[in-house]
Amino acid sequence: MKPSLLFLLLALAPSWSAVAASTKAREEPVFLFENRRVIVAVPEGFGSSLTRDENGMAVFQIADAKERHSLELRFLPDPDGRFGTARARREQMVEMFSEHVGASTERGMQFEELEPKSGAGCYCVFTDAKLVGQSKLPPGEYLHLTAGLKTWRGVVVIFRFFSNDTASAEYRAVMAMLRESVHEKPAPLR
């Protein structure tokens, strides 16, 4: 599986190694739209970057210094709660990620519930069939893609998590971040 070129360039940026090696898990604020803000608890050992897409929507990316795990979060408005049901999320995932089915060992979409602390979500894991069994992967390619949606009132997050495993501490830390973090914190009353 290959992430986008921009994402690869960000993931491989030399400054990330120094940042990732020297930081602890930290909360990163991501300003979305309409004065909304999300907190992302970036796991220890990961660097982060925030950009905006061509429509001005937030794209938050993290990657580890070893270049074995990289995640992209795209935040989009969902004012009508279009993705509030499991069926709507799964239908959207089929539309967005079905291109990966044919090249995967799974040969189908095996939906898993994300079960986040706040909101709802689901995901699928795709294993790149052409990379299975290779001891050294080509630069910029990953064995697995964990793709999914997370939603809460007014917001949907599309995530693409590229990894070379699905059992390491780093993989589990990113999945925990998706479940327990990546949500809006209510502002204190004044």
Side-chain angles (χ1 to χ4, degrees), residues 16-51:
W16 280 33
S17 296
V19 170
S22 66
T23 60
K24 299 277 184 207
R26 66 195 183 284
E27 288 190 344
E28 294 280 342
V30 178
F31 294 93
L32 303 179
F33 41 83
E34 301 170 357
N35 295 323
R36 296 183 79 167
R37 180 180 79 140
V38 168
I39 301 299
V40 179
V42 177
E44 183 175 358
F46 283 79
S48 63
S49 173
L50 175 64
T51 58

Side-chain angles (χ1 to χ4, degrees), residues 10 17 32 50 82-83 85 92 95 105 115 127 141 152 165 168 176 179 184 190:
L10 289 169
S17 296
L32 303 179
L50 175 64
R82 215 177 110 204
F83 303 106
T85 68
Q92 184 64 31
E95 186 177 313
T105 59
E115 299 177 359
T127 305
E141 293 204 28
W152 62 90
D165 64 71
S168 69
R179 287 182 184 97
E184 289 182 88
R190 294 181 189 221

Side-chain angles (χ1 to χ4, degrees), residues 2 52 65 69 100 112 118 149 183 186:
K2 287 187 176 183
R52 299 278 170 185
H69 303 87
H100 301 293
E112 298 285 335
S118 173
L149 300 176
H183 65 287

Side-chain angles (χ1 to χ4, degrees), residues 73-164:
L73 302 171
R74 286 190 177 272
F75 296 89
L76 301 172
D78 184 22
D80 302 326
R82 215 177 110 204
F83 303 106
T85 68
R87 180 180 177 147
R89 286 188 297 278
R90 290 175 182 198
E91 287 174 352
Q92 184 64 31
M93 286 181 58
V94 167
E95 186 177 313
M96 294 178 65
F97 303 120
S98 62
E99 69 187 76
H100 301 293
V101 171
S104 73
T105 59
E106 292 81 8
R107 298 285 184 208
M109 296 182 85
Q110 299 169 4
F111 296 102
E112 298 285 335
E113 286 301 309
L114 187 60
E115 299 177 359
K117 177 178 167 181
S118 173
C122 61
Y123 65 95
C124 292
V125 177
F126 302 100
T127 305
D128 193 331
K130 75 178 188 322
L131 298 178
V132 171
Q134 290 190 23
S135 58
K136 184 163 171 79
L137 298 178
E141 293 204 28
Y142 295 87
L143 182 58
H144 303 284
L145 167 62
T146 303
L149 300 176
K150 181 176 180 179
T151 186
W152 62 90
R153 187 186 54 78
V155 180
V156 63
V157 181
I158 302 162
F159 61 88
R160 289 176 177 86
F161 178 22
F162 294 93
S163 63
N164 291 329

